[in-house]
């Protein structure tokens, strides 16, 4: 099951914003996201966003670096 194939997930790269900036904007927003993952440069350097229209927003924010996922709860991001 892929949320991408269901239209419920997207991976983002911006020509004007760094992935870290996109991630921080989403973290500070009230968008009803299920999950947002910042992939470090060594992992692809992009942001994954998923939604689940069937459930309340989970708003889980993670950073993937060195093959591992870590929860993000605010603060500086150093990759």
């Amino acid at each position: 099951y892929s949320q991408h194939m269901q239209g419920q997930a997207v991976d983002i790269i911006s020509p004007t914003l760094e992935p870290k900036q996109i991630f921080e904007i989403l973290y500070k927003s009230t968008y009803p996201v299920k999950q947002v993952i910042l992939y470090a440069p060594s992992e692809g350097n992009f942001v994954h966003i998923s939604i689940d229209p069937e459930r309340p927003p989970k708003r889980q924010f993670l950073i993937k670096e060195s093959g591992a996922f870590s929860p993000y709860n605010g603060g500086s991001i150093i990759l």
Side-chain angles (χ1 to χ4, degrees), residues 14-68:
S14 169
T16 57
L17 295 172
E18 291 294 319
K20 180 170 77 167
Q21 293 172 295
I22 297 168
F23 185 82
E24 289 172 331
I25 288 167
L26 291 168
Y27 183 79
K28 293 174 184 174
S29 78
T30 58
Y31 294 125
V33 296
K34 174 183 178 182
Q35 187 178 63
V36 180
I37 305 171
L38 173 61
Y39 285 79
S42 62
E43 302 287 342
N45 205 32
F46 64 94
V47 177
H48 167 88
I49 303 166
S50 65
I51 62 168
D52 186 344
E54 304 295 320
R55 294 183 174 84
K58 187 174 178 182
R59 291 195 51 86
Q60 179 183 45
F61 286 78
L62 302 170
I63 296 174
K64 185 172 186 198
E65 186 175 27
S66 302

Side-chain angles (χ1 to χ4, degrees), residues 60-79:
Q60 179 183 45
F61 286 78
L62 302 170
I63 296 174
K64 185 172 186 198
E65 186 175 27
S66 302
F69 291 95
S70 301
Y72 177 75
N73 297 309
S76 298
I77 300 172
I78 301 171
L79 300 174

Side-chain angles (χ1 to χ4, degrees), residues 1-10 34-35 48-53:
Y1 171 78
S2 169
Q3 285 190 286
H4 290 275
M5 299 303 291
Q6 300 296 319
Q8 297 177 1
V10 64
K34 174 183 178 182
Q35 187 178 63
H48 167 88
I49 303 166
S50 65
I51 62 168
D52 186 344

